[in-house]
Amino acid sequence: MLQISTIRENPHEVINRLAIKNFDANELVKKVISLDAQRRETQKKLDDNLAEANSIAKEIGVLFKNGKSAEANALKERSAELKTASKELSELLQQIENEQYNVLVLLPNLPHPSIPKGKGADDNIVVAEEGVIPVLGENSLPHWDLATKYDIIDFETGVKITGSGFPVYKGKGARLQRALINFFLDNAVANGYVEVQPPFLVNENSAFGTGQLPDKEGQMYYIVEDNLYLIPTSEVPVTNIYRDIILKAEQLPVKNTAYSACFRREAGSYGKDVRGLNRLHQFDKVEIVQITHPDKSYETLEEMKDYVCGLLRKLELPFRVVKLCGGDMSFASAFTYDLEVYAAAQQKWLEVSSVTNFETFQSNRLKLRFREGNGKPQPVHTLNGSALALPRIVAALLENNQTPVGIKIPKALVEYTGFEIIN
RNA sequence: GGAGAGAUGGCAGAGUGGUCGAAUGCGGCGGUCUCGAAAACCGUUGUCCGUCGUAAGAUGGACCGGGGGUUCGAAUCCCCCUCUCUCCGCCA
């Protein structure tokens, strides 16, 4: 959520920046500003009213004590008038505030000034590419066939138990999952991230805090009976740890990492490009989150991006770093790098991580702030990234490392899997 | 699932109708003392929204889990909701 002060002070800047995201903010900005003026005017009236009422109440108290009940009763009449007026004003104020809020949440985050305009994924900028793209033999297979061939992932049994998008990992497949999770967590911890194990279900307030609600409830699984949501990413519970908190400047940066299963309904996304592990309803992911001083967040963004690159390097996967253009960025993002690995059998780049700086967009909504010395609280910057999401990593590992004798495990993972080859 | 208790400032914990944004203790910050530190002592210490001001600040309002009600006046009385804790039941 944008800060009202930003909009009030630089309306044209807001409109221009949002145009980069192909978002026409003209009307909404106008509306927010006019509602803001109404809000302040109404509040002034209400406050004056209440101030008078407060002082009358005190007077009445004194009068009664001194036995001057006639005078007190006269004042009561004025007090009653004020009460009626205050009630109307406060209802009006509430209504204006709600309206303003409802408009405010429709405005996406401003993209960083360096973000180029663009329509969609085709206009993203590849800022780095690394690793050797393997050339596979004639009878190479996509990962879903390899999974069946070596009996490590069973999609059909998953369908029987739950439905499509819920695979069953078996044998070395299951072990590979566990190995990757540990590998990612250990690396994050070695890089100064504090590991947390969050709940996989969150309440309404949390879903709201990170922006899944009120808009995107359809993307989450929902438990009606308990009014809880299955998390689409551990970003939700981890970030919400810091909801309604004022940190001290010395506590920054906060660095957390968490493994969680992630649950996504992805309604309407069935169809092409979703075979095998490419898109699932339940998958595993290790997330990294940082809360930083506003002056440090872009430095941190680079650091987080480089950290994820390091993981891909250790896994010996060819990858590229893509800077998203305005049109492809998410609602809440100010700057996003996507990291993609090449899956050699599908001959396709697969997004495995998204590293994003939200600046104050999340912290403003979360009421997550920090204080320098005795200064006023101010919003922090929040960032997060996948480090990493498993399924597409597994897909690329299987496809790229297939050989006539089996699938080779990258060296760095062997101490975690306990085997060097899947055969 | 059944029964009971509770929700107050960073924490602990008083406060049952007006002088309460709220005692006291701890913690934090500043100071005195000290070569320095500890102890002791003194002072200070919440958030949000307005108004005035370049600012420092001044000032109005709101906030004692959330919402509603009674009253001239509510942390305090009444109603509803949420959450937490304890005991019983069930259970990895």
Side-chain angles (χ1 to χ4, degrees):
Chain A
M1 192 166 74
L2 293 176
Q3 282 168 282
I4 181 67
S5 54
T6 311
I7 300 172
R8 193 163 59 205
E9 284 154 29
N10 318 293
H12 298 294
E13 163 105 10
V14 168
I15 289 166
N16 292 340
R17 296 269 287 279
L18 287 181
I20 300 288
K21 279 190 169 181
N22 302 320
F23 188 93
D24 179 0
N26 264 293
E27 290 307 310
L28 291 178
V29 165
K30 230 184 269 174
K31 203 164 173 194
V32 166
I33 290 177
S34 118
L35 284 167
D36 194 51
Q38 288 177 50
R39 194 197 99 236
R40 281 146 65 191
E41 194 193 323
T42 309
Q43 166 133 28
K44 179 96 178 71
K45 283 189 203 156
L46 176 62
D47 286 355
D48 290 347
N49 241 326
L50 292 174
E52 191 182 343
N54 285 343
S55 85
I56 288 180
K58 273 183 191 149
E59 272 181 65
I60 292 176
V62 174
L63 289 172
F64 271 126
K65 245 174 213 165
N66 299 333
K68 300 180 181 169
S69 53
E71 288 173 50
N73 285 324
L75 278 178
K76 278 191 190 181
E77 275 177 40
R78 175 63 185 150
S79 180
E81 280 171 34
L82 286 170
K83 193 179 178 182
T84 320
S86 298
K87 189 167 183 187
E88 276 170 24
L89 282 169
S90 80
E91 273 165 16
L92 179 62
L93 182 63
Q94 188 62 53
Q95 186 199 322
I96 293 170
E97 279 176 353
N98 290 344
E99 215 174 312
Q100 184 180 27
Y101 184 84
N102 290 337
V103 176
L104 219 43
V105 294
L106 296 176
L107 290 166
N109 197 6
L110 306 183
H112 185 268
S114 77
I115 301 293
K117 206 172 158 71
K119 287 204 176 75
D122 293 342
D123 298 316
N124 292 339
I125 300 164
V126 177
V127 295
E129 193 167 328
E130 215 184 292
V132 183
I133 290 178
V135 181
L136 299 178
E138 271 301 296
N139 37 20
S140 65
L141 298 170
H143 71 268
W144 48 87
D145 289 334
L146 292 166
T148 307
K149 178 175 172 185
Y150 296 107
D151 195 25
I152 51 175
I153 307 172
D154 186 339
F155 293 98
E156 277 153 37
T157 301
V159 169
K160 178 175 86 175
I161 302 170
T162 307
S164 83
F166 293 91
V168 175
Y169 302 89
K170 292 158 62 177
K172 286 183 172 176
R175 181 64 188 256
L176 177 59
Q177 292 284 115
R178 190 148 57 86
L180 283 166
I181 292 166
N182 285 333
F183 173 73
F184 292 143
L185 282 174
D186 285 355
N187 271 277
V189 169
N191 262 270
Y193 291 90
V194 174
E195 182 178 351
V196 293
Q197 269 196 30
F200 291 1
L201 279 75
V202 294
N203 60 28
E204 230 173 328
N205 282 340
S206 296
F208 192 84
T210 31
Q212 276 69 31
L213 294 181
D215 223 26
K216 298 165 188 135
E217 53 265 82
Q219 295 174 13
M220 287 185 292
Y221 288 98
Y222 175 55
I223 315 281
V224 178
E225 207 172 16
D226 299 294
N227 194 23
L228 295 172
Y229 297 85
L230 272 71
I231 55 173
T233 158
S234 54
E235 170 198 337
V236 178
V238 172
T239 309
N240 270 285
I241 292 172
Y242 303 97
R243 167 151 52 88
D244 292 324
I245 281 186
I246 301 174
L247 295 163
K248 291 186 187 131
E250 318 73 275
Q251 290 177 277
L252 301 175
V254 172
K255 299 174 76 174
N256 281 155
T257 184
Y259 155 76
S260 86
C262 302
F263 305 90
R264 299 195 181 170
R265 294 185 65 228
E266 308 277 12
S269 70
Y270 303 90
K272 70 181 172 70
D273 295 343
V274 300
R275 285 201 71 177
L277 296 171
N278 288 357
R279 179 168 277 153
L280 299 173
H281 287 307
Q282 178 185 323
F283 63 96
D284 297 293
K285 180 160 65 68
V286 172
E287 185 81 358
I288 51 176
V289 170
Q290 288 210 41
I291 299 168
T292 73
H293 190 287
D295 295 345
K296 298 276 169 60
S297 66
Y298 279 95
E299 215 172 287
T300 302
L301 179 69
E302 293 299 311
E303 172 204 311
M304 289 170 75
K305 180 253 293 172
D306 292 340
Y307 167 73
V308 179
C309 288
L311 291 178
L312 295 172
R313 222 167 272 139
K314 286 186 188 174
L315 292 174
E316 300 167 44
L317 290 168
F319 66 90
R320 64 182 193 185
V321 181
V322 175
K323 175 176 172 177
L324 298 193
C325 71
D328 204 28
M329 285 169 78
S330 72
F331 189 81
S333 167
F335 194 127
T336 298
Y337 285 119
D338 272 3
L339 284 96
E340 302 177 339
V341 299
Y342 195 77
Q346 296 180 68
Q347 301 189 353
K348 200 148 55 173
W349 291 99
L350 300 177
E351 181 193 330
V352 289
S353 176
S354 220
V355 184
T356 298
N357 187 353
F358 299 97
E359 298 191 5
T360 61
F361 198 77
Q362 283 188 331
S363 57
N364 189 34
R365 186 192 273 238
L366 286 163
K367 300 201 180 70
L368 166 54
R369 291 161 293 173
F370 79 106
R371 189 201 309 274
E372 242 160 350
N374 290 324
K376 283 249 169 264
Q378 48 179 315
V380 295
H381 282 194
T382 61
L383 303 96
N384 69 39
S386 348
L388 281 152
L390 297 225
R392 293 176 191 166
I393 291 289
V394 171
L397 286 175
L398 297 182
E399 292 186 14
N400 296 6
N401 298 337
Q402 58 184 303
T403 70
V405 292
I407 295 159
K408 288 190 296 186
I409 300 297
K411 280 191 210 76
L413 262 189
V414 171
E415 62 170 307
Y416 288 92
T417 55
F419 52 81
E420 291 174 21
I421 194 158
I422 297 173
N423 49 18

